[in-house]
Each structure stands twice: as structure tokens, then as C-alpha cells.
Amino acid sequence: MSPLGIGLLIAVVTVVVLASGIPVAFGLVVVALGFLAVFDGVASLGILGELFFSGLADFTLVSIPMFIAMGAAIAASPAGGDLYGALDRWLYRVPGGLAISNLGACAIFAALSGSSPATCAAIGKMGIPEMRKRGYPDGLATGSIAAGGTLGILIPPSVTMIVYGISTGTSIGRLFIAGIIPGLMLTGLFGAWSMFHAWRDGFQATQERQQFNLREKLEQAARILPFLLIVLGILFVLYGGVATPSEAAGVGAMLCVVMVAVIYRMWNPRKLWKILSSSTRESVMIMMIIGAAALFSYTLSSLFITQSVAESIAALDINRWLLLGMVNVFLLVAGFFLPPVAVILMTAPILMPIVIQAGFDPYWFAVVLTINMEIGLITPPVGLNLYVIDGIAPDVGLPEILRGALPYVLLMILGIVLLCVFPQIATWLPDLLFGGT
Amino acid sequence: MDPFIRGVEALSRACGVLAALCLAAAAMVVCQMVLVRYVFGVATIWQTEFVTFAVVAATLIGSPYVLLTRGHVTVDLLPHYLSEAPRRWLALLASVCAWVACAVLAWTGWTYFHEAWTEGWVTESVWGPPLWIPLLPLPVGLGILTLQYTVDILCLVTGRPLGGGLDEPVAPPT
């Protein structure tokens, strides 16, 4: 059997195995195990324990649990509500202003937490009931938060970007910086659509409300400021190359936990334990997938699949944009079914050489890939954000949430098109700060 | 059978606590390292390796707890379209496959650990602690994970509820 044939077989088997409902991490091990045993003999399995360990024993990976803990601390505090309230006090008179406050809150919270479902949950819990109370259509209320939440993996710091950086050997600091402008662009697009949607439905900021004075406008914002400063500090030390991502994340996590305890008086050991245990569960889940993906990609390269796929695609000699289109469709489909981290770990080692050979910037590609993954978060069957929203507003129903989210999916596709036409959106800032690649 | 199930579940919960402590230790040592290196300007010797291994240990030891609390992310595509009986059979099949995967990992992890132990290997750093110490979570964590999967399979076969009662909703994957 040719490597390409085996590759195709692995792809099919992986889809079937993962669809069975087996945890993604163990599913990847099962596939790796089966194919190694059949094609390389049972004796080749002896190395698996060592591979799993060495796949995990990487200092850069330490940043993942640290960023998760940072996000968990902020998500456990009322910071999401404060953020949202603060923005509302500034924007409540703009038509569709509440939706825009929510999107802005999502973008900022995304920066704080680095996690999409956490962003959805934190902002949605406050934002969705409030929007519905003020007469916003259900679809707009739920769809905008579902979409806004996806910004979590694009706007730095982002666990998804760290995983991309590790599996492709690219600079994590540079990846973070590359995500900033595209993240703001998507936020802007989402906001513009929300305003248009509100305006089209003849919806005004009808509610008579008291004026907020400057003090009131600043009060809630002040509580958020320390967290924003921590994130900016992290970006700054990463940009300056002063500290590694793991060091920055570790200190950031510790500072956030302390800040949460100080600002929101969460001294209670039970609450602190909750932050620790929820970050442990999420970290373990992601790290197990990382270890399993190490076995999976070892299998691919040991059976010469990685190399053959790259070679045969290079031999096709097709137009680079057609190639990118194909890669994009592939990522979109993969993102429909798999969590972003798993997609990146499984495909980045194969896609990276192809994309670079076609002359694309790896940091630009990271942004395009991440937006594809964002789309997967708000499309069925495993759109995690949809289920988070469904949990917050169960009476709206998934079909309506989905209808509300659809325009935002189209906006993200528009975002990808814009990035293709103007790659500078992703490359300008990193090139400016770090110099060209 | 129930005492066995309860025993393994208690073990998995204890693993969860241990894993959380490993992560907390890692976070504290990172901060200590940053302080020593950037504030006092002193070279650090053991911290990088300690932190790396603490996170690996947290991952391996925490995995049975995460399995117990249904925290390992899944793609429930096929089960979604199946009725109750075939869904249970599929869950059983998936669990048996996962059991095999975990058992092979635990076994190969054990042989790796054993080799490091008998050969007296040390890690590559200046600090150079015996390699078997960071490797220990490999057979232990994955061994308990295999036990937890055994319990899952027993529960599926005998129609007991899975997961020994969930204490919180499944963590959303990032």
C-alpha cells in the first residue's frame, strides 16, 4: 500500500473512531496504535510510552495550563459582568449599542481569558438576558454572543495560538501579535452587522434610561483595568523577548488569581480551589490531546505519510490560491467536527510545509486557520459556543441561535477573504515590531 | 464489584487533587524562577525542568480524574443518531478500544520507567535528577487511568450509571 493510500485510510479511520464518542485523546492513540501495529509490526509499539512523555515534556507547554488558570480565575470572578456593564454605560445610546457593548466585552474578555466558550459564558450570562429584556431579537442577542465568544482564540493570549506555535515551531509572541488586528477587524465587522441588524428591524435605543455621569462610567471600568494591564504586560514582555511565554503566563496566572482575590474579595479557599480544579481539568484534557497527537504525528511520519502528502501536493503545481482554498475548505470541515486544538495538532505538521512552499506567511496562515476554527465553534454538530449559549438561554432554542449566528459565520468568511486580499492585516503589526520573516 | 468501583473512583479523585497540587506547585515555581532570574539576576538551575515535569505529572496523574468527571472532550456524532441500546454497545466498544490504548501506553510507560530505574539514567540538565522520578507518573497515572476505564466498562456492562455522579459540568474545551 502506498503512503498516500495509507494516509487516506488513516483519515477515514480517524473520522470513524472519533465519531464514536471516544475521547479525542484516546481516539488518536487508538488510531496511532492500530496503524503502527499493522504496518510497522507490534514491536514498534514499545516506544509509545517514551513518545507520549517526550511529547509532553516541553517547557513551552507549561504556558498552556498557566494561561488556562489565568482565564479560569477571571471567568470565576464577576469581571465579565463588570466589563459588560462598563461598556454599556458608555454605549447605551447607540442603536444596537447593547449588542456592540457585548461584542466589545467579548473581545476584551477574550483577551483576558484566551478561551472561546469561557468568553461566551462570562459575557452571555449577563448580556443575553439584558438584550432580550430590552427588546433585541433573540437571534441577534444569542448569535452576537456566540460569535463574539469565538474571538477568544484569535485575540491574544490564546491557547490555540500557543498550540500552533509549538506544533509548527513558530514564535508564540509573534503569533499573539499577529492575531490583534484581525481580531479587532472581526470585532468591527460583527459590530457593524449588529448595528445594521438593529437598524433594519427598526430597533432604536428606545428605553428611557438615566444618564450616567463620568464617575459612574469609570467605576466599573476601574475594576477591569488591572486585568487588562496584566494582559498588556504579558504581550509586552513577549514582544520584548524578555521572558518566555511560560514565564509570562505563570506570572500572569498568579497575578490574576491574586487580583481576583483582592478586587472581588474571593479569599474563600473553596473558591480558589474551584479555580484550581477547573483549570486542572481543562489543562489535563488539552495536554492529553497534545500527548496523543505526538503519537499520531509520529505514526504519520513513520509511515511516510506526512512527507508523501507534502510532496504530491507540491507536484500538483496548482495555483497557490486554489491550494489555499482547498486547505481552507479542509480546515472548515475539520473544524465542524473537532476542537481547534485537535485540528491544529493533527494537521499543522502536514499543512505547514505545503503552505510555506506556496509562499504564504506562517503567521498569516495561523490567523486564517484560527478564524476557520472560530467558525467551527459556532456551527453544528460540535459548535461548543452554541451549546454554551443554549445553556444560558434554553428557551431560545438551538435553531434560532444557529440562525442568529449564521450572519457572523459569513462575516468570518468575509474576514478570511479580506485577509487573502490584504495579508497585511495579519502581517503588518508583527513585521513592524519583529521585522520581516 | 461495588467496593472495587468505589475504590477506583476514590483513587481517581485523589489523583485529581494531586494533579491540581502539581499545577499549583508549577505556577509557584515559575514565579519564583522569574523573581530569581529577572529581579535578582541569578541563574536558575532546577526550576525549568521541575516546572516542565510538574505539568507532565499533573497531566498524567490528572487524566483518570478527568475521565471520571467526563472532562475528556468527545465528538458525539454517531451516538447522537443512535437509539439507546446501540448507543450503549457503541459506548462499550469505544471504551474497550480506549482501554486497550491506555493499557498499551501504561505498559510501554512502565518499561520506559523501569529502564530508567535500572540503568540509573539522569535527565540532561545541569541539575540532573534521576530520570525515573519524572517518569513515575507515566505508569502510575496511565495505570490508574486504565483502572478507571475498567470501571467504566464494568458500569456499562452491568448497567450502572457512569462517572460516579458528576460534581460539575464538563469543562469546555478551548
Side-chain angles (χ1 to χ4, degrees):
Chain A
M1 209 169 181
S2 74
L4 280 182
I6 303 176
L8 195 65
L9 191 62
I10 289 193
V12 173
V13 170
T14 307
V15 169
V16 173
V17 168
L18 292 183
S20 73
I22 194 173
V24 172
F26 307 132
L28 292 179
V29 179
V30 167
V31 174
L33 210 77
F35 276 85
L36 279 180
V38 170
F39 290 98
D40 275 1
V42 178
S44 68
L45 301 182
I47 196 173
L48 290 187
E50 187 177 346
L51 277 176
F52 198 85
F53 183 83
S54 59
L56 289 174
D58 176 347
F59 183 62
T60 316
L61 285 175
V62 171
S63 59
I64 290 177
M66 297 303 140
F67 276 128
I68 288 175
M70 195 172 129
I74 295 172
S77 75
D82 271 344
L83 187 58
Y84 157 81
L87 285 171
D88 181 36
R89 287 182 182 188
W90 288 90
L91 295 173
Y92 71 102
R93 274 192 293 183
V94 184
L98 192 56
I100 295 173
S101 310
N102 277 303
L103 285 166
C106 281
I108 297 173
F109 199 85
L112 296 175
S113 77
S115 154
S116 286
T119 304
C120 259
I123 306 300
K125 256 185 281 185
M126 311 288 297
I128 293 173
E130 186 65 26
M131 277 198 273
R132 295 175 74 198
K133 203 169 82 191
R134 294 198 210 165
Y136 281 76
D138 287 348
L140 177 61
T142 52
S144 63
I145 299 270
T150 66
L151 296 167
I153 57 173
L154 184 58
I155 296 179
S158 143
V159 170
T160 315
M161 288 286 195
I162 297 175
V163 171
Y164 179 91
I166 290 168
S167 68
T168 59
T170 41
S171 149
I172 291 168
R174 192 174 179 131
L175 284 169
F176 280 1
I177 304 286
I180 294 177
I181 295 180
L184 295 177
M185 176 184 80
L186 280 186
T187 315
L189 286 175
F190 293 172
W193 166 257
S194 306
M195 273 175 84
F196 172 74
H197 190 165
W199 170 82
R200 189 191 59 185
D201 290 13
F203 182 81
Q204 297 284 323
T206 45
Q207 189 125 356
E208 281 304 315
R209 300 190 59 207
Q210 63 179 93
Q211 293 279 347
F212 291 108
N213 62 32
L214 193 63
R215 200 200 132 118
E216 284 169 324
K217 283 182 176 174
L218 289 177
E219 184 183 53
Q220 280 182 305
R223 283 204 290 266
I224 301 300
L225 197 62
F227 298 106
L228 281 178
L229 289 178
I230 292 173
V231 170
L232 286 177
I234 288 175
L235 290 182
F236 183 75
V237 296
L238 286 183
Y239 154 60
V242 180
T244 61
S246 298
E247 290 165 335
V251 174
M254 199 56 97
L255 284 177
C256 277
V257 171
V258 172
M259 285 294 164
V260 163
V262 172
I263 296 176
Y264 294 108
R265 305 211 158 66
M266 290 174 65
W267 289 114
N268 188 337
R270 193 179 289 273
K271 283 186 180 160
L272 292 177
W273 176 253
K274 218 172 170 165
I275 294 173
L276 183 59
S277 75
S278 75
S279 10
T280 305
R281 291 181 74 220
E282 200 179 332
S283 310
V284 168
M285 184 272 292
I286 290 182
M287 296 286 284
M288 284 301 280
I289 295 180
I290 291 174
L295 303 190
F296 189 79
S297 55
Y298 168 81
T299 308
L300 292 186
S301 77
S302 152
L303 299 175
F304 294 103
I305 294 161
T306 320
Q307 303 85 326
S308 316
V309 170
E311 272 169 27
S312 51
I313 288 188
L316 282 179
D317 200 25
I318 50 172
N319 179 289
R320 65 199 282 252
W321 293 105
L322 185 65
L323 175 73
L324 186 77
M326 283 157 55
V327 167
N328 225 319
V329 170
F330 169 73
L331 288 173
L332 261 180
V333 173
F336 284 163
F337 299 101
L338 288 167
V341 170
V343 175
I344 291 172
L345 287 166
M346 287 161 67
T347 63
I350 296 184
L351 293 180
M352 194 61 178
I354 299 173
V355 167
I356 289 187
Q357 200 169 30
F360 293 105
D361 181 282
Y363 298 91
W364 171 87
F365 180 65
V367 172
V368 171
L369 191 158
T370 305
I371 298 178
N372 275 303
M373 297 302 105
E374 287 186 64
I375 295 175
L377 289 171
I378 53 170
T379 45
V382 283
L384 288 159
N385 286 14
L386 295 176
Y387 298 107
V388 173
I389 301 288
D390 192 40
I392 296 170
D395 55 314
V396 175
L398 267 179
E400 182 62 26
I401 299 175
L402 206 56
R403 249 198 305 281
L406 188 66
Y408 298 93
V409 170
L410 298 177
L411 288 174
M412 288 189 223
I413 294 173
L414 174 66
I416 294 176
V417 172
L418 285 175
L419 275 161
C420 292
V421 181
F422 308 105
Q424 297 84 349
I425 299 169
T427 57
W428 175 75
L429 192 58
D431 281 350
L432 181 75
L433 295 176
F434 293 89
T437 36
Chain B
M1 191 191 295
D2 279 328
F4 173 69
I5 292 177
R6 272 199 301 275
V8 172
E9 286 180 355
L11 196 59
S12 294
R13 274 178 212 289
C15 283
V17 175
L18 195 58
L21 293 178
C22 284
L23 276 192
M28 282 178 216
V29 172
V30 169
C31 293
Q32 188 264 0
M33 171 168 78
V34 168
L35 202 67
V36 169
R37 189 181 293 169
Y38 298 106
V39 180
F40 302 132
V42 181
T44 52
I45 300 164
W46 54 275
Q47 286 87 339
T48 308
E49 210 161 42
F50 175 87
V51 168
T52 308
F53 291 147
V55 169
V56 177
T59 305
L60 294 168
I61 295 173
S63 64
Y65 170 69
V66 176
L67 176 63
L68 175 71
T69 54
R70 308 288 123 196
H72 287 297
V73 61
T74 59
V75 183
D76 290 317
L77 209 55
L78 292 177
H80 189 74
Y81 294 104
L82 292 175
S83 57
E84 184 57 32
R87 190 186 302 170
R88 223 172 161 81
W89 279 107
L90 184 64
L92 186 62
L93 182 66
S95 300
V96 170
C97 288
W99 186 91
V100 172
C102 295
V104 170
L105 276 186
W107 172 252
T108 53
W110 161 258
T111 54
Y112 185 34
F113 162 80
H114 188 255
E115 216 172 344
W117 169 276
T118 49
E119 305 284 326
W121 290 343
V122 294
T123 68
E124 287 166 5
S125 70
V126 188
W127 181 33
L131 188 62
W132 66 264
I133 300 174
L135 290 183
L136 186 61
L138 204 52
V140 172
L142 296 174
I144 298 174
L145 178 66
T146 312
L147 274 180
Q148 182 58 49
Y149 252 120
T150 314
V151 164
D152 270 26
I153 292 170
L154 281 175
C155 288
L156 278 169
V157 169
T158 57
R160 286 177 170 80
L162 278 179
L166 303 182
D167 44 17
E168 53 190 298
V170 173
T174 312

